[in-house]
Amino acid sequence: MSRKWMKFMALPVMAAMLVTGCSNNNGNNASNDQASDGANGGTNNAAATNAAANATDGKPATWIADRTIKGLIFMDSDDYTEDMNPEIKAEIQKRTGINFEFELMKADHSIDGLIAGLAAGDLPDFVAFYLNNSGRPEMPVVLKAAREGMFTDLTPLFKDTKVFSKYLQDDFLPSDTKNGVMFRPEFNGSTYFTHMNIDRNGGQVTWRGVGGPYIRKDIADQLGVDPLSIKTTDQLYELAKKIKDGNFKDDNGAPVTPIGPRFWGGREVGALFNDLEWGADDQRIKQTKDGKILHEAQTDYAMKKVEYVQKLLKEKLIHPEFFTMDESRSTEGAINGTWGIIADMHSYQDFNQNMRYVPLSPINQVDGPYQKVVSFKSGYSAWAIPSTTEKPEDIVKFADYLASREGKLLWKYGLEGRDYTLDANGNPVVKQEVIDLKAQDPNAAKALGFAGVGNNWGDILGSTDNDNKADFGEVNYGDNASANQFPAVEKIAEMYGLDQQIKDARVVDAYQPTAFLGEFANGTELKTAFDTYNDSLVQAYYSKSADEAKKILDSALKQMEAAGLDDYLKLLADKNADPKTKVLVE
Amino acid sequence: MQQVTSASKPGRRLWKSIVLHRYLYFMLLPCIAFFIIFSYIPMGGLLLAFKEYKFNKGLLASPWVGFDYFKAFFNSYQSKALIKNTLIISSMKLFLYLPFPIILALMFNEIRSKWFKNVSQSILYLPHFLSWVVVIGLVQRVLAPDTGLLNQFIAKLGGDGSKFYMMEPNSFYQIMFGSHLWKSLGWDSIIYMAAIAGVNPDMYEAAKIDGASKFKEIWNITLPSIMPTVVILFILSLGNILSAGFDQLYLLRTPGNMQLSDILDTYIIRVGLQGGQYGYATAVGMLQGLIGLILVIIANRISRKVSDTSLW
């Protein structure tokens, strides 16, 4: 066949392929439009198939390189399993050429492992670590490593990517990620770590769970109390007294404790004492109405809260080990119905899908009625490429693949046919047998090797630009299968008025007040003094008198002042005045 | 020429001795290698106490910072309390605890029933093999407010029964010392029992003939005989005067007792290692070692002067 004829034949074939490609895409409903939008970085399954067909040299378009990429993960989570499922691993290699391996470096504290790993200097192709925000303890460590030339500049490598190139846009990253973590002014446009788990859209609330204090529904019903009417700590006190007087019993016939600890173990719980809490319970820094930034110890609220907790303890309305109880005991108490009120849990807890516990209303704040605060976006965990890694662009391309819709489908849902099918809209419908296996034998399910069954290897490099609803037509894994894994979640959300709260929420894009400790000269001392204050507060709860409690808190305040509290608060005021570094103090 | 010959003589003699006892020296080799590899080479890491560690430069090339870390520690508002707490706890474990295993060993020595001796020894040795995590877990359960064994007992006797001992600063030393005693007493008595076993029985026979009572035998024969062992162990323990026992204290620490339970070991972990300040942690750790070494040398000298017992 002559070349001329070849050209004539090729034209209609190309046109037919184009039409076929378009009609496949058009078959998707509106919910999938975003996913197929190239600007969003998502490529739906049909598009991926076409891409594969268009590939040259017999390799798919997603091909990166024939190499092994090895990572070292400084995270102590059980969500990652080094032994990847062989079929998933083979599929990754088939699509990208990459033989992906990683090693978990578990330590009592993940930061210990990170420091040891960096100090040893023998690093693989990439490292990953926890990094909630620039105030996290890992930040000074990785910052030091970056300043000392340990990591590769990722900015030029992001330019040619589909998903991570969004990190270079002005409005994609939240302020802290952009100016505090990644593109710090000192780096002059370079970046050495990739902050992960950034949502595609700002102010997006995809989690349908309701967190906070819960009350046993039968107790609330018997007392004739509407849980959503409890909006102050005074009302909470009265409710606790009623529970005590009601002589309720748990599943074992033991008396119910009116207020029990968190589901996950004892500690301070801000949500239970909002109207006595100055700032978030892990920060304790907030601005007064006249604009002065103060630490809780510098306000009257500390003593008010001490007096309140002492009253609860004295009258046996709160469990005496509320602040220290280990997780197994507090969880057991929740499951047995021993706590009339659970200080903190959420609606996805398996044990509560029969809605034995229902949420209390959020307690008002110190300066007015409760209003939900939603982060514009927030980051979680990060990865970096050591400067010793050859061809770092391969790692960035691989991360970009995992962050694409096709990549996410693989590491979130597993293999088509084996673990899920696609519905008419191209969205995954999880197979019932996978859901059953997950319920009956979670470890066997985890061996299938993807996030939906609890094996989250893919989110290390791929979880960002997240919008499950747009990408997969469901917010949570398995929703499309109507598997009803968490029947209580939507009911509780509705009862709680979650949608209205989200609608009324204040969206903020700001730094946490402790985010600047790393750049504060006396940061380590002050951090220790903050921790000591937290302990002192609990100590004060258990003191014999108000005077003794006052002495304990005053001593903790003096320690914080000696460690530079006033200078730090001034630094916060300066940062807050800069639009690039707004601080969450309101 | 004469000088050279005489100087080389001891060396030659040593060499001849080594060749003669080569098999014994060969057996010593693994031990020497072990100490070089695991004890002396790591000592090079003490350099960190004087260096600002740079990831990319390594230990040797990182810049010197002199005594900055030591200054920072002594300038810290916590240093006084940390040193005080450490000294109090370690002194309790050193001085107050010292007679208990000796008394136990003396008691074991007087038990005539072999069966009872074996059973009671086994029971008392067992806690040594439990980890501090388990021991402190037990302590927490026994001392829990309302539901703990002790509180329930007090409640049965008509008391309040709601005291939260783990949160009480006043109960901290008793809990700390009691749990240490419970865990270590049996095991630590072994060495004294070995020393007692080495006492010449003829002395007891002679004392009996002279009409000595059991107490006199213990006071005049057993105790003086095991005194060198007691002194040696005491001098060695002094080396750890600033190491009050990390595991136990880390697990016992609660917000309620923290002003008493925070010690140098827990501080090193919390601020030094978890904060990524290896140099600072090394400096504080080095202080512990140095002070321990100085105390051992002083105690050894005193012991050598006042008695015939000393380490060297």
Side-chain angles (χ1 to χ4, degrees):
Chain A
M1 202 182 283
S2 74
R3 278 188 179 184
K4 203 174 175 182
W5 276 106
M6 281 276 282
K7 276 180 190 171
F8 280 122
M9 289 293 285
L11 272 172
V13 170
M14 283 166 69
M17 279 178 72
L18 188 68
V19 170
T20 315
C22 289
S23 46
N24 275 353
N25 279 339
N26 291 340
N28 294 342
N29 73 355
S31 71
N32 223 21
D33 285 348
Q34 256 183 304
S36 56
D37 184 355
N40 282 335
T43 52
N44 69 18
N45 216 36
T49 315
N50 287 341
N54 286 338
T56 54
D57 304 334
K59 289 172 183 166
T62 47
W63 187 264
I64 296 166
D66 185 5
R67 74 175 276 185
T68 294
I69 288 181
K70 195 165 183 177
L72 190 54
I73 315 302
F74 300 100
M75 298 182 185
D76 49 17
S77 169
D78 289 332
D79 296 339
Y80 306 109
T81 312
E82 289 169 352
D83 300 325
M84 289 178 69
N85 176 277
E87 289 173 271
I88 300 259
K89 206 170 146 92
E91 188 63 27
I92 298 169
Q93 200 156 10
K94 193 174 116 191
R95 296 187 196 181
T96 63
I98 300 297
N99 174 31
F100 183 53
E101 291 174 2
F102 65 92
E103 197 179 329
L104 285 171
M105 191 162 171
K106 289 195 174 187
D108 278 350
H109 296 271
S110 54
I111 189 170
D112 297 353
L114 177 65
I115 295 166
L118 290 171
D122 182 21
L123 300 174
D125 296 313
F126 77 92
V127 292
F129 40 88
Y130 289 124
L131 197 68
N132 302 19
N133 52 57
S134 60
R136 172 120 185 165
E138 274 85 349
M139 189 66 207
V141 177
V142 291
L143 200 53
K144 177 178 160 68
R147 285 172 183 154
E148 290 169 12
M150 293 280 284
F151 299 139
T152 302
D153 177 12
L154 301 169
T155 304
L157 306 178
F158 283 162
K159 280 179 185 154
D160 297 326
T161 58
K162 284 177 186 167
V163 178
F164 286 100
S165 58
K166 290 186 178 186
Y167 279 39
L168 304 176
Q169 294 168 10
D170 276 342
D171 54 353
F172 183 72
L173 294 176
S175 180
D176 180 37
T177 296
K178 189 174 174 185
N179 305 307
V181 176
M182 291 183 64
F183 300 95
R184 295 173 68 89
E186 65 184 295
F187 292 156
N188 296 318
S190 296
T191 186
Y192 298 93
F193 344 98
T194 312
H195 213 191
M196 296 298 287
N197 292 290
I198 313 286
D199 283 341
R200 187 172 297 158
N201 306 305
Q204 169 179 322
V205 181
T206 49
W207 195 64
R208 299 293 294 163
V210 170
Y214 275 65
I215 183 170
R216 236 174 74 178
K217 189 171 182 302
D218 60 326
I219 292 178
D221 289 346
Q222 281 190 51
L223 294 175
V225 172
D226 173 9
L228 297 178
S229 67
I230 308 299
K231 292 180 185 296
T232 67
T233 45
D234 287 339
Q235 289 170 328
L236 180 71
Y237 168 73
E238 292 302 328
L239 176 60
K241 268 206 327 193
K242 281 184 190 169
I243 296 175
K244 187 166 184 258
D245 295 341
N247 292 317
F248 296 100
K249 303 285 179 209
D250 70 3
D251 295 348
N252 300 319
V256 158
T257 301
I259 303 177
R262 294 158 69 241
F263 180 80
W264 306 277
R267 69 163 216 205
E268 177 87 329
V269 181
L272 203 62
F273 310 116
N274 262 352
D275 59 4
L276 302 171
E277 195 84 14
W278 188 253
D281 58 3
D282 61 341
Q283 303 288 321
R284 304 194 190 287
I285 292 173
K286 188 176 164 67
Q287 194 169 261
T288 61
K289 277 179 183 159
D290 53 4
K292 196 169 182 204
I293 297 175
L294 294 177
H295 186 275
E296 181 179 88
Q298 298 167 316
T299 71
D300 297 335
Y301 289 101
M303 272 310 290
K304 279 184 190 171
K305 195 171 153 187
V306 167
E307 282 161 18
Y308 181 75
V309 175
Q310 282 190 340
K311 189 167 67 171
L312 293 178
L313 283 168
K314 199 175 163 191
E315 297 179 28
K316 295 190 182 291
L317 300 176
I318 193 169
H319 196 283
E321 294 173 87
F322 181 90
F323 301 94
T324 54
M325 189 179 289
D326 58 86
E327 184 173 353
S328 54
R329 281 180 64 215
S330 60
T331 301
E332 191 189 344
I335 292 169
N336 289 335
T338 312
W339 322 134
I341 292 170
I342 297 174
D344 191 15
M345 60 171 268
H346 61 64
S347 50
Y348 279 95
Q349 296 297 342
D350 286 329
F351 87 97
N352 197 44
Q353 293 310 303
N354 58 2
M355 290 179 66
R356 184 182 196 185
Y357 283 89
V358 290
L360 287 177
S361 168
I363 303 286
N364 287 337
Q365 284 152 319
V366 282
D367 47 4
Y370 171 83
Q371 186 187 12
K372 194 175 179 69
V373 175
V374 173
S375 290
F376 162 67
K377 287 177 186 181
S378 52
Y380 178 73
S381 88
W383 53 266
I385 302 177
S387 44
T388 46
T389 301
E390 284 178 23
K391 289 203 169 184
E393 61 271 24
D394 288 348
I395 287 88
V396 174
K397 279 181 197 165
F398 184 59
D400 200 50
Y401 171 75
L402 291 177
S404 70
R405 184 182 183 273
E406 185 190 327
K408 279 178 184 151
L409 197 58
L410 184 63
W411 65 258
K412 283 189 177 189
Y413 287 87
L415 300 172
E416 188 185 349
R418 189 192 75 169
D419 306 310
Y420 68 89
T421 53
L422 288 172
D423 67 10
N425 299 321
N427 290 322
V429 181
V430 177
K431 286 193 162 185
Q432 190 59 42
E433 56 255 42
V434 177
I435 290 168
D436 293 344
L437 184 65
K438 191 181 167 188
Q440 287 153 15
D441 188 351
N443 285 332
K446 201 171 177 179
L448 289 170
F450 53 92
V453 288
N455 191 344
N456 291 277
W457 61 269
D459 68 17
I460 297 166
L461 291 174
S463 180
T464 200
D465 187 34
N466 291 329
D467 190 346
N468 280 2
K469 186 77 181 164
D471 284 347
F472 308 116
E474 63 181 15
V475 174
N476 299 295
Y477 172 83
D479 286 354
N480 284 341
S482 301
N484 217 9
Q485 294 178 86
F486 300 103
V489 170
E490 267 312 313
K491 287 180 199 159
I492 288 176
E494 197 180 327
M495 174 194 291
Y496 191 72
L498 182 68
D499 290 323
Q500 189 60 42
Q501 285 194 27
I502 292 169
K503 211 170 147 189
D504 298 339
R506 189 159 58 96
V507 179
V508 295
D509 184 15
Y511 284 69
Q512 294 295 318
T514 54
F516 304 99
L517 283 172
E519 64 183 74
F520 184 60
N522 229 8
T524 310
E525 285 269 292
L526 190 56
K527 168 79 175 54
T528 311
F530 281 157
D531 292 342
T532 305
Y533 173 78
N534 291 340
D535 285 341
S536 298
L537 194 63
V538 176
Q539 193 189 356
Y541 297 152
Y542 289 88
S543 61
K544 303 264 181 308
S545 64
D547 283 348
E548 197 185 321
K550 182 90 176 62
K551 272 185 201 163
I552 291 168
L553 294 183
D554 285 348
S555 162
L557 175 60
K558 272 185 193 160
Q559 287 186 4
M560 286 190 290
E561 285 170 347
L565 176 66
D566 292 335
D567 290 339
Y568 187 71
L569 296 180
K570 193 175 169 303
L571 173 76
L572 282 187
D574 294 343
K575 292 283 183 185
N576 195 32
D578 181 346
K580 280 186 174 174
T581 52
K582 292 299 277 184
V583 187
L584 188 56
V585 285
E586 286 165 20
Chain B
M1 191 66 190
Q2 183 67 28
Q3 268 180 337
V4 172
T5 314
S6 59
S8 64
K9 265 184 185 171
R12 211 184 302 158
R13 241 183 280 140
L14 176 69
W15 180 244
K16 270 189 178 176
S17 164
I18 289 174
V19 172
L20 191 66
H21 303 105
R22 55 191 177 279
Y23 296 113
L24 288 175
Y25 280 102
F26 189 70
M27 285 162 74
L28 193 65
L29 268 182
C31 183
I32 292 170
F34 176 87
F35 276 99
I36 290 173
I37 294 167
F38 294 108
S39 298
Y40 286 93
I41 293 175
M43 270 191 209
L46 287 175
L47 265 183
L48 259 182
F50 308 97
K51 292 219 164 197
E52 188 198 344
Y53 186 74
K54 301 265 184 198
F55 288 131
N56 55 340
K57 292 190 173 167
L59 180 61
L60 294 176
S62 291
W64 294 93
V65 292
F67 289 93
D68 282 5
Y69 297 133
F70 295 91
K71 283 182 204 159
F73 174 68
F74 286 111
N75 287 334
S76 158
Y77 67 89
Q78 297 176 93
S79 58
K80 272 186 199 160
L82 287 167
I83 292 172
K84 187 179 145 200
N85 289 345
T86 311
L87 282 174
I88 290 174
I89 291 168
S90 58
S91 299
M92 283 176 77
K93 287 184 175 179
L94 198 62
F95 299 108
L96 203 60
Y97 172 75
L98 185 71
F100 286 90
I102 299 171
I103 293 167
L104 185 70
L106 292 172
M107 284 164 68
F108 275 142
N109 192 46
E110 297 307 322
I111 294 172
R112 291 292 154 251
S113 161
K114 207 173 176 187
W115 177 84
F116 181 69
K117 193 176 176 179
N118 285 345
V119 169
S120 51
Q121 276 181 322
S122 302
I123 290 170
L124 283 165
Y125 294 164
L126 201 65
H128 170 79
F129 297 100
L130 298 177
S131 83
W132 271 115
V133 179
V134 175
V135 175
I136 301 299
L138 283 171
V139 169
Q140 283 170 342
R141 297 302 341 116
V142 170
L143 300 178
D146 299 332
T147 54
L149 199 67
L150 181 61
N151 270 311
Q152 292 212 339
F153 183 66
I154 291 168
K156 284 259 188 256
L157 295 177
D160 177 34
S162 65
K163 202 167 180 182
F164 197 171
Y165 293 99
M166 295 294 286
M167 276 283 180
E168 289 267 341
N170 293 340
S171 308
F172 171 71
Y173 288 130
Q174 292 90 314
I175 296 170
M176 182 276 299
F177 190 71
S179 54
H180 175 65
L181 200 66
W182 185 78
K183 190 175 186 305
S184 317
L185 183 62
W187 189 256
D188 289 352
S189 68
I190 292 175
I191 199 156
Y192 297 113
M193 287 188 67
I196 291 169
V199 179
N200 188 351
D202 292 349
M203 291 201 283
Y204 293 110
E205 290 298 323
K208 270 180 194 157
I209 291 166
D210 289 346
S213 65
K214 192 53 85 184
F215 178 76
K216 290 267 182 192
E217 277 180 30
I218 292 171
W219 189 256
N220 292 312
I221 299 170
T222 317
L223 274 178
S225 301
I226 65 168
M227 202 42 78
T229 309
V230 174
V231 171
I232 293 285
L233 287 176
F234 176 75
I235 295 171
L236 287 174
S237 305
L238 272 176
N240 293 324
I241 189 100
L242 285 184
S243 303
F246 168 74
D247 292 1
Q248 183 197 14
L249 272 298
Y250 190 75
L251 293 162
L252 272 181
R253 187 182 184 277
T254 67
N257 63 31
M258 65 175 184
Q259 75 267 38
L260 302 176
S261 60
D262 219 4
I263 56 168
L264 284 170
D265 288 305
T266 52
Y267 178 74
I268 288 171
I269 295 292
R270 204 176 62 246
V271 177
L273 301 186
Q274 286 168 11
Q277 301 186 71
Y278 276 170
Y280 188 64
T282 310
V284 180
M286 192 176 170
L287 267 180
Q288 285 180 293
L290 268 179
I291 293 172
L293 180 67
I294 292 165
L295 284 175
V296 168
I297 292 169
I298 293 171
N300 193 56
R301 281 203 173 175
I302 294 170
S303 173
R304 200 166 49 196
K305 277 199 176 173
V306 300
S307 70
D308 292 335
T309 312
S310 64
L311 279 173
W312 63 87

